[in-house]
Amino acid sequence: MKSLSLSYLDHAAATPVDARVLEAMLPYFSSVYGNPSSFHSVGIEAKRAVQEARKRIASLLNAQEENIIFTSGGTESDSLAVLGIPRTKVHLDALRAKLGEETIPHVITSSVEHHAVLEPLLFLKKRGEIELTVLDVDRQGMVAPQDVVKALKENTLLVSIMMANNEIGTIEPIADTGRAILSWRKERETPYPFFHTDACQAAGYLDLDVEKTHVDLLTLNASKMYGPKGIGLLYIRKGIRLAPLIIGGGQERNLRSGTENVPGIIGLAKAFELAQASREEESSRLTVLRDALAEELLTIPKSVLNGHTTKRLPNNVNVSFLDIEGEAAILYLDAEGIMASTGSACASSSLDPSHVILATGLSYEAAHGSIRFTLGRSTTKEDVQHVLQVMPGVVERLRHMSPVNLDMKYFEKQ
Amino acid sequence: MSDPIIKPTHEARKGDVVTPAKGKGWFYTDMVKEHFFSPKNFLEDEASYKQAYLGMVGSPACGDAMKVWLKIETIDGVERIKDFKWKTFGCASAIASTSMLSVMITEEGGMPVEDALKLRPQDIMERLGGLPARKVHCSVLGDKALRSAINDYFRKSGQHDRVEVEHGRLVDKVLKITDHDIEEAVLEGADTLEKLQEKIKVGTGDPSCIPDVEQLLRFYKEKHFGA
């Protein structure tokens, strides 16, 4: 049921729940409502359903069931990983036994990570619990595996690099980084560092096989792949200990207490299955639309593509326009039925422009004028046409009102 | 007697941008929406305003920049602002604030310069029916651009004694940070000493001023956000 005049192009923010996902979830609200910890039949039925879902998810990740911890979503999974690992006594003891009592763990991450990874790490750093290296990226937002290797130290306990960027769509070379970390560990005969990746944006488009990507921890959530909000998971490679954030009844192998979100878990499993099944077909379909949209948008004067031209999520187009401010553009687009997002400061609660776009070396001026369109399953050629009909006029109108007339050189950091 | 800065209207605070099909629940008030989608008095023919009095504030790097052009006439001994044109780079509230300011200045035969100098950002906010708390700084910019243009008028008409230089009280003597700078930073979202220091580094060179800074921080938070 899609109205012709509405184009929802903000799939990186949220996706609608797929009808098949909703259908799979429905029995678990009022019919199979038992607590999986109960011993009576309705509890056991719920428990079986959760087990079944866990098994299916594990197989899509090429992992074991016991390696999947269900959480409330991407942010919680990221927190569990990046707070949990540096706060685990066995890891601290191991580092200290080798490097001295005063040792604090070292963590490596990148400047384009989601706030859900950066903020908890900055929190730990501020409290003196970790030493933190935030790696720079190149102009396309890429974290070079050799930069990760160069940053590795004896006390490096964790590396966290996202699989694909939520703002600019850049696909990071996770498998190469994973392999490099693996051989570093092998040479030194150490289990550290562990490698975490946030794969929330990647689930519908990339292969998440943890053996191919060589990751030890992986964050995933349902709401970016046509599943419900409020459910996610953290994959933890067998044998890796970590401290829980939520402590109580001991569910999820003591790593995440609280009664399981049964309908959510069922929805996550179904959504993940559907997303992975249509991954290749959907990727090629959207790549065509993505490239058509980007190419045409870039014919608007004083515009530049943010992110990588080819190593890019099939659904992401992010373009900066000089002399206009993103929030104003978003609202003019919204009035025409086009829903997109911006990295402008005015649209953020912090009043700072996108840290991701600034990290790629673009100027503040250009970050304020960035517009992100993220395509999805409902997106058609008509939506692309719709944007292409409206966007040039919006840019022209705002430029007409703007006292600013910057040179192209203002795309670069001043 | 509602002060929209201290108490932004309920309407302005709630809601989010929703689909146009639903037609309501906008993040901004209807008045903001009206001035954003149909801005009044923005400058179209720059050539006819070459002689106008010019005011400027902000920069595109900060996310907001405004230019204001005024025409001022003395009628029966009263200096009145007969024309107010503007150009704004910024978000919806920045565009709407300047547009509303232009209406307020030019209605009723043009506002006397003396009255315009007394105009406060709160007055613009009130006419807009309030702005979301984190957008309050946008209305301050319009007010500043106006005063900058009036100063241009004073200079060009030889009334140098009337030029009002914005000088605040020096708080951090090392970094030359004034109370105005702190107010500005608070309006831009710095609600803790930490965030304030991230923005303007106040007190990093001269920690002795920190108690003073903390007091100003509380004062401006209360003044603008009522908390």
Side-chain angles (χ1 to χ4, degrees), chain A residues 311-380:
Chain A
K311 285 171 185 147
R312 177 182 200 98
L313 286 174
N315 74 330
N316 178 295
V317 175
N318 189 319
V319 176
S320 279
F321 302 94
L322 279 185
D323 307 337
I324 68 164
E325 192 279 325
E327 193 222 60
I330 291 301
L331 295 176
Y332 275 156
L333 287 172
D334 184 58
E336 302 280 348
I338 295 167
M339 287 162 264
S341 82
T342 171
S344 164
C346 273
S348 80
S349 50
S350 59
L351 290 177
D352 285 322
S354 157
H355 70 284
V356 173
I357 291 176
L358 294 179
T360 64
L362 230 63
S363 62
Y364 276 80
E365 287 87 344
H368 284 298
S370 68
I371 311 286
R372 179 188 74 179
F373 300 95
T374 42
L375 327 184
R377 280 190 201 152
S378 64
T379 310
T380 61

Side-chain angles (χ1 to χ4, degrees), chain B residues 172-175 177 193-194 196-210 213:
Chain B
D172 183 326
K173 292 178 186 68
V174 178
L175 293 173
I177 291 168
L193 179 64
E194 217 163 34
L196 201 60
Q197 289 188 317
E198 243 171 62
K199 266 190 199 297
I200 57 175
K201 314 256 178 295
V202 63
T204 50
D206 172 22
S208 71
C209 69
I210 285 181
V213 172

Side-chain angles (χ1 to χ4, degrees), chain A residues 209-223:
Chain A
D209 184 326
V210 294
E211 297 309 325
K212 288 187 197 155
T213 49
H214 309 295
V215 297
D216 303 306
L217 301 114
L218 179 141
T219 291
L220 200 59
N221 70 351
S223 69

Side-chain angles (χ1 to χ4, degrees), chain A residues 32-94:
Chain A
V32 189
Y33 50 80
N35 186 325
S37 299
S38 301
F39 287 111
H40 47 60
S41 49
V42 72
I44 289 167
E45 204 179 329
K47 186 178 181 169
R48 281 210 186 109
V50 169
Q51 272 171 348
E52 181 58 31
R54 200 189 301 276
K55 203 174 184 173
R56 279 154 45 206
I57 291 168
S59 105
L60 289 168
L61 290 171
N62 193 13
Q64 302 301 312
E65 288 160 61
E66 61 269 26
N67 305 141
I68 310 296
I69 303 300
F70 292 117
T71 67
S72 68
T75 297
E76 189 190 328
S77 295
D78 283 343
S79 266
L80 181 57
V82 305
L83 293 174
I85 292 286
R87 286 185 157 176
T88 302
K89 196 166 175 300
V90 285
H91 304 319
L92 293 177
D93 288 347

Side-chain angles (χ1 to χ4, degrees), chain A residues 184-197:
Chain A
W184 199 87
R185 294 198 299 225
K186 214 166 180 182
E187 274 167 37
R188 286 162 183 78
E189 292 178 345
T190 161
Y192 307 127
F194 301 130
F195 185 30
H196 168 249
T197 191

